[in-house]
Amino acid sequence: MATCPECDAEIEVDEFDVDKGDQLSCPECGSNLEVVSLSPIELDLADEEEEEEEDDDDDDLDDDDDDELDDEDEDADIDDDEGLDE
């Protein structure tokens, strides 16, 4: 048995079925929990920042693609300007 750090509910967790770092959710309050100790089993609130950071990384990749297109447009403008000087 382990205790939810959010709502103090008793959660049945078999220490042989989980590893340190595993995540589960509390059946009472729905909080995302992480196994931080195996003997005795201790749970802590899982970091939700990791999921957000992963989402942010995807956004960064999209932004990089836009920057490359902008650079190509600028190069095309420079080529056009060179033709005007002649």
Side-chain angles (χ1 to χ4, degrees):
M1 282 289 204
T3 304
C4 173
E6 186 72 20
C7 69
D8 294 326
E10 291 292 324
I11 303 172
E12 189 171 332
V13 180
D14 186 350
E15 65 182 283
F16 299 109
D17 289 340
V18 294
D19 291 317
K20 188 174 180 180
D22 283 356
Q23 293 193 357
L24 49 100
S25 62
C26 174
E28 294 293 321
C29 69
S31 294
N32 291 326
L33 306 173
E34 180 177 355
V35 178
V36 294
S37 175
L38 293 176
S39 184
I41 292 183
E42 290 182 30
L43 303 173
D44 197 2
L45 292 174
D47 291 333
E48 293 184 15
E49 293 176 7
E50 291 178 9
E51 290 181 18
E52 292 174 7
E53 287 176 9
E54 289 175 9
D55 292 342
D56 290 345
D57 290 345
D58 293 341
D59 293 342
D60 290 344
L61 293 176
D62 294 339
D63 292 344
D64 291 344
D65 293 341
D66 293 342
D67 291 343
E68 289 176 13
L69 293 175
D70 292 341
D71 291 343
E72 290 174 7
D73 290 341
E74 289 174 11
D75 291 343
D77 291 341
I78 292 170
D79 292 341
D80 291 342
D81 291 343
E82 289 175 4
L84 295 176
D85 291 339
E86 291 177 7

